[in-house]
Amino acid sequence: MGLFMSMLIVLVGAVPEYHIDQEGFGTSRAELAKRIHFADNFTSIVTEWYLIEQEAYKVSLASSLFFAGLLIGNITFGPLSDKLGRKPVYISGNIIFGIAHLKSPNYDIFAVSRFFVGIVNGGMALVSFVLTQEYVGKSFWSFTGSLTNLTFAVGIAVYALLGYWVRQWRYLALVSNSPGVIFLLLSFMLPESPRWLYSQGKMAEAEDVLQYIALGNGKERLNLKLKPSAGTLRKDELAPGILNLIKHPVLRWRTIVLMYIWYVCSFVYYGLTLNAGELKGNLYLNVALSGLAEVPAFPLCMFFIEKSCKKTVYLCLQLVFSFLKGLLLSPTLLALCGKMMVSAAFNIVYIYTSELYPTINLR
């Protein structure tokens, strides 16, 4: 569902072909509505609220508000999941704000709803990745991390297929939100993270979850007894915060370097993803290819990530820059090649970042 919310603006904000009758042309929206004629192949927020000419910036503004929400969600949901648990924060969901898309009577409400969807979407994406990694042992981190990101790539292609069949933007928003209801119900079946329970000193509950996972894997009931964690916080202790990343020189330097790498990966990845609708050719085919171009990157990541994760990140980034400097490729092929390389870098930096920082409560 998070994928569909991220990609929603690509299709619901697309601009179909149109022409404007010049005779008696006025500058007001009401006059523009009388003079403009859109092609009938699909509808979007552009066709409903006439977001062209001087109003065209509002499509990009709605997208910017969504990513501003992502920033807030990433900052706030992480500490919340540390305090309240992974599962309750994850299943908080963004169904209410997603429905606001369907009922938006005007652009302003639509834009505001995009902001709040971004907050919850960003937070849920972060917590779900952490939860996935904490269900498995370290030997599976590269596999589960890559598989999680692979579903995002495949989801882009699925979203393009939905857009091809559902040409009315409000119905497309409804279809895009529908999987969220199913996943929300399935989320109640998930156990809490055993690592988080252990870090909170909840040994019995952590043991129950581990037994549940073992039985689900076809193992016999284990004779399991966890030892209390030496790093479990006492009630009178303050939880570690963001200042810990600044006080320690090693963590401070790692954070600065990783922030730059994340910035580059995000800038290139989302720039190419959201620009898929601007490429020449069929809109839906370009969006689908944008997602499918990422798929070959993940098997390569799973192989190289165990060899030299750090070098692979820089290699992938360097290849992105090399492709962007090329002059012999067509813009579409250039974008697809760059998308594959930056996807590999993005996938690796997700896993690499989680491994670079110590888990304070589990020392």
Side-chain angles (χ1 to χ4, degrees):
M1 181 178 177
L3 171 275
F4 290 155
M5 291 297 98
S6 299
M7 293 295 298
L8 189 70
I9 199 66
V10 176
L11 295 184
V12 304
V15 183
E17 295 182 3
Y18 67 90
H19 72 273
I20 302 174
D21 296 335
Q22 296 296 323
E23 183 179 354
F25 179 70
T27 57
S28 67
R29 180 176 296 182
E31 186 65 25
L32 182 62
K34 296 178 182 178
R35 304 297 178 183
I36 190 170
H37 301 280
F38 289 103
D40 294 331
N41 52 346
F42 65 87
T43 68
S44 67
I45 61 174
V46 175
T47 63
E48 182 163 339
W49 297 312
Y50 304 103
L51 304 182
I52 61 170
E53 305 292 330
Q54 295 86 354
E55 300 287 314
Y57 75 93
K58 290 185 176 181
V59 177
S60 299
L61 177 59
S63 182
S64 298
L65 288 172
F66 175 82
F67 283 99
L70 282 182
L71 174 63
I72 297 176
N74 286 328
I75 293 174
T76 56
F77 274 61
L80 279 176
S81 69
D82 288 338
K83 184 176 182 179
L84 304 177
R86 314 295 191 219
K87 182 178 177 179
V89 173
Y90 172 69
I91 64 176
S92 60
N94 58 3
I95 295 178
I96 295 177
F97 296 114
I99 292 175
H101 285 140
L102 314 180
K103 300 297 183 180
S104 300
N106 54 54
Y107 169 81
D108 294 334
I109 294 179
F110 175 85
V112 172
S113 70
R114 288 294 292 169
F115 173 73
F116 285 106
V117 167
I119 292 177
V120 184
N121 187 34
M124 288 180 64
L126 176 65
V127 175
S128 64
F129 179 82
V130 174
L131 185 60
T132 301
Q133 298 297 77
E134 291 182 343
Y135 279 147
V136 299
K138 293 182 179 180
S139 60
F140 290 95
W141 280 1
S142 61
F143 175 76
T144 54
S146 298
L147 187 62
T148 301
N149 291 318
L150 177 61
T151 57
F152 195 96
V154 175
I156 294 176
V158 173
Y159 178 67
L161 182 62
L162 290 176
Y164 178 79
W165 291 106
V166 184
R167 298 298 182 94
Q168 302 295 320
W169 80 265
R170 289 184 185 271
Y171 293 145
L172 178 60
L174 174 63
V175 173
S176 300
N177 275 278
S178 298
V181 179
I182 300 173
F183 292 135
L184 178 64
L185 296 176
L186 292 175
S187 297
F188 285 100
M189 301 173 61
L190 294 175
E192 180 56 271
S193 164
R195 293 177 182 268
W196 180 83
L197 291 170
Y198 182 68
S199 71
Q200 301 299 306
K202 300 179 179 181
M203 305 302 168
E205 295 180 42
E207 291 169 4
D208 290 339
V209 173
L210 292 175
Q211 291 283 7
Y212 172 80
I213 294 175
L215 293 174
N217 288 332
K219 305 292 184 181
E220 296 181 359
R221 187 167 184 83
L222 304 176
N223 184 16
L224 182 66
K225 188 66 177 178
L226 296 175
K227 296 180 179 180
S229 170
T232 301
L233 290 175
R234 297 191 303 268
K235 293 183 178 180
D236 58 342
E237 287 183 317
L238 293 176
I242 195 172
L243 291 179
N244 291 81
L245 303 179
I246 302 174
K247 290 189 299 184
H248 304 288
V250 174
L251 293 183
R252 182 168 60 244
W253 179 242
R254 286 181 184 178
T255 302
I256 292 173
V257 173
L258 285 171
M259 285 176 65
Y260 175 73
I261 295 176
W262 273 85
Y263 165 76
V264 174
C265 287
S266 301
F267 190 82
V268 177
Y269 180 86
Y270 285 106
L272 292 174
T273 300
L274 298 179
N275 193 59
E278 303 296 328
L279 298 174
K280 293 182 179 180
N282 185 278
L283 170 65
Y284 306 100
L285 180 61
N286 288 336
V287 173
L289 290 176
S290 176
L292 294 177
E294 300 181 40
V295 175
F298 296 104
L300 294 176
C301 287
M302 293 174 60
F303 175 77
F304 286 110
I305 201 170
E306 301 295 340
K307 304 298 181 180
S308 180
C309 188
K310 184 177 180 180
K311 292 180 181 179
T312 310
V313 172
Y314 294 135
L315 175 61
C316 291
L317 287 174
Q318 195 62 41
L319 286 172
V320 171
F321 296 141
S322 299
F323 276 120
L324 292 178
K325 293 177 182 177
L327 298 176
L328 301 178
L329 298 177
S330 67
T332 301
L333 185 57
L334 184 65
L336 294 177
C337 291
K339 187 72 180 298
M340 182 178 67
M341 292 297 101
V342 77
S343 296
F346 220 158
N347 179 63
I348 293 173
V349 78
Y350 254 101
I351 301 168
Y352 192 39
T353 301
S354 65
E355 294 179 344
L356 275 180
Y357 289 95
T359 305
I360 297 176
N361 288 343
L362 295 179
R363 62 179 178 267

